[in-house]
Amino acid sequence: MQQTRTVELGTGLFVFLGVVALFFLTTQTTGFSGFMGGDAYRVTARFDNIGGLTTRAPVTMAGVTIGRVEAIEFDPERLNARVTMRIDGRYDQIPDDSEASILTAGLLGGQYIGLGAGGSFDNLRDGDEIYLTQSAIVLENLISRFLFQQSQEDQDD
Amino acid sequence: MSVLRELGESFVSFLRILGDMALFLLRLVMYTPRGLLRFRLVVHQVHNTGALSLVIIMISGLFVGMVLALQGFDLLARFNSEDALGTAAALALIKELGPVVTALLFAGRAGTALASEIGLMKATEQLSAMEMMAVDPMRRVVLPRFLGGVIAMPLLVAIFTAIGIFGAWLVGVVMMGVDAGSFWSQMQANVSGDEIFEGVFKSVVFGIAASLIAVYEGYRAWPTAEGVGRATTRTVVLTAVSVLILDYMITAALL
């Protein structure tokens, strides 16, 4: 009897530790657990260039994550990228003339969408499109523009 | 010519073992619903394979996490991005090191015990005695051990990973002075449920593979002292190789 009790106790401890560890991993190491399940609404935006944006990238406003990128697809008719964002239903008072831009978090960080508030009295609703967008800054383009400017200045002198 | 023939023969025997193992797994899966009813036997095996591996898993996890943080810190400090240490350590542990290292330790600690135990029961004719008493050794001996391993493995991986992240925190934050806030927040911003799922999925697959190989090798061992020894060795080697191959395949599929 004593022996089965220690076996049960040991197994119980083991299973308990395992479940605690799993709980720790799912809640503490991941951001936004359980957030996307609640009521959320979708808005779309078109970008000429999305750079390195990926699905599940955060959508932020004033630096606070309010949603995630749900889908990115290429529009063959208008030849640009259509990004679908899922925004938490709690934040349903975003002006519909807000601006969406693709930003980079730090040097090694991933890219995310930052929303800048507009001044309209109407709010974004499910299915709306954000018209004011700013594409990702592609480093190569920036460098080539800089070099082009430099050589132009040299010619002017 | 004889080289070719030997190669062909070893290939045929490889296929035979593979097929035999697949049929073995199929039988185990078929017996599983009724095997779970005899819960006490399974609990006993979860204790043997899981609870008794706790200490080695926890110590290994701690040190793997610590060395990961040390190496990661050294590398990231060259780019002035020590803040990404939490992300790097957590992703490496959750997706790769947790499942793989745990599976290798599991093969060494629990797999060998299973294989040699079943092999010795066969060598001492305990299995034949059971058959004579109309007790199916597959259901009474092999199945609970297999199920115990399959249940224990994901839990062991979760414990290993959690302790590993704690070890990374210990070295990164406490010893090396990485900012605790960015350590955790960068981790939380970059680790998603998909990655946790990848780790858990791998641990389940590895658990099935490692347990299957262990009980199969034990059950098919030659009933001699040498046979049991060879079965134990083969368990470790086969588990290590198949876990690493499976790991690559799962990673490629889920990426």
Side-chain angles (χ1 to χ4, degrees):
Chain A
M1 209 53 228
Q2 192 59 42
Q3 229 234 307
T4 44
R5 271 197 60 191
T6 43
V7 166
E8 275 160 11
L9 204 69
T11 315
L13 178 74
F14 164 63
V15 173
F16 175 74
L17 277 178
V19 171
V20 167
L22 211 58
F23 181 77
F24 166 79
L25 289 178
T26 46
T27 58
Q28 292 305 301
T29 63
T30 63
F32 267 93
S33 48
F35 154 73
M36 296 311 279
D39 54 320
Y41 61 98
R42 290 178 181 79
V43 294
T44 59
R46 288 170 187 282
F47 295 94
D48 291 332
N49 191 337
I50 57 159
L53 191 74
T54 55
T55 50
R56 304 186 65 94
V59 176
T60 68
M61 195 154 192
V64 182
T65 306
I66 58 168
R68 298 265 160 190
V69 172
E70 193 177 52
I72 301 171
E73 62 227 323
F74 179 68
D75 185 343
E77 278 173 35
R78 294 168 64 170
L79 299 177
N80 56 15
R82 190 159 162 273
V83 175
T84 309
M85 293 167 262
R86 218 172 123 97
I87 295 175
D88 191 344
R90 278 178 298 174
Y91 310 113
D92 56 354
Q93 306 205 336
I94 301 170
D96 64 358
D97 62 345
S98 295
E99 173 202 29
S101 36
I102 297 178
L103 307 166
T104 307
L107 194 60
L108 281 179
Q111 290 189 300
Y112 65 97
I113 293 184
L115 296 183
S120 166
F121 290 109
D122 295 322
N123 296 325
L124 278 174
R125 260 171 306 175
D126 192 49
D128 280 0
E129 182 174 340
I130 298 176
Y131 292 102
L132 277 171
T133 63
Q134 195 179 356
S135 290
I137 294 172
V138 178
L139 208 59
E140 286 88 337
N141 294 352
L142 210 65
I143 292 171
S144 72
R145 201 179 303 165
F146 173 72
L147 289 177
F148 183 69
Q149 216 165 30
Q150 284 281 313
S151 63
Q152 199 120 59
E153 274 170 24
D154 289 347
Q155 275 173 8
D156 290 346
D157 288 343
Chain B
M1 274 324 274
S2 72
V3 178
L4 266 183
R5 177 187 284 174
E6 246 170 59
L7 221 69
E9 267 171 13
S10 66
F11 182 66
V12 167
S13 77
F14 166 74
L15 282 186
R16 234 193 47 228
I17 290 177
L18 200 68
D20 194 25
M21 209 182 261
L23 290 176
F24 197 82
L25 177 65
L26 208 67
R27 259 168 85 191
L28 285 176
V29 170
M30 265 166 49
Y31 292 156
T32 296
R34 292 187 60 192
L36 280 175
L37 289 181
R38 304 180 75 177
F39 198 59
R40 193 155 288 264
L41 285 176
V42 179
V43 166
H44 201 89
Q45 293 309 321
V46 172
H47 178 258
N48 271 353
T49 50
L52 296 183
S53 310
L54 258 184
V55 175
I56 177 179
I57 289 290
M58 288 167 97
I59 293 175
S60 312
L62 185 69
F63 278 92
V64 167
M66 279 166 65
V67 79
L68 200 62
L70 211 56
Q71 293 277 18
F73 181 83
D74 181 50
L75 182 69
L76 290 169
R78 297 181 198 181
F79 307 113
N80 280 331
S81 355
E82 298 96 319
D83 287 353
L85 185 67
T87 314
L91 283 182
L93 279 166
I94 288 170
K95 291 170 67 156
E96 281 302 324
L97 290 170
V100 171
V101 177
T102 309
L104 296 180
L105 290 170
F106 182 89
R109 166 64 186 78
T112 51
L114 289 181
S116 58
E117 194 185 3
I118 298 177
L120 271 176
M121 285 173 107
K122 195 179 177 189
T124 53
E125 294 180 344
Q126 293 181 47
L127 298 187
S128 316
M130 275 184 189
E131 265 168 15
M132 235 175 295
M133 293 187 287
V135 176
D136 185 359
M138 273 294 270
R139 296 180 204 222
R140 179 65 179 75
V141 174
V142 176
L143 185 65
R145 283 168 176 72
F146 173 74
L147 288 179
V150 171
I151 294 171
M153 185 71 177
L155 298 170
L156 285 175
V157 171
I159 293 170
F160 182 98
T161 311
I163 300 260
I165 290 174
F166 170 73
W169 171 81
L170 209 62
V171 168
V173 175
V174 178
M175 267 173 63
M176 293 301 189
V178 174
D179 182 57
S182 51
F183 181 88
W184 291 109
S185 67
Q186 292 253 335
M187 186 192 300
Q188 286 165 4
N190 288 298
V191 180
S192 66
D194 287 0
E195 266 114 19
I196 305 274
F197 171 77
E198 186 179 336
V200 172
F201 181 72
K202 275 182 180 175
S203 68
V204 171
V205 173
F206 294 171
I208 293 173
S211 312
L212 174 69
I213 290 170
V215 294
Y216 175 85
E217 286 295 338
Y219 197 70
R220 288 280 186 263
W222 287 108
T224 59
E226 196 200 342
V228 175
R230 282 188 58 177
T232 317
T233 314
R234 283 172 58 104
T235 301
V236 177
V237 175
L238 263 181
T239 308
V241 172
S242 48
V243 159
L244 293 173
I245 294 174
L246 282 171
D247 182 48
Y248 181 80
M249 293 190 335
I250 296 173
T251 309
L254 290 184
L255 214 60

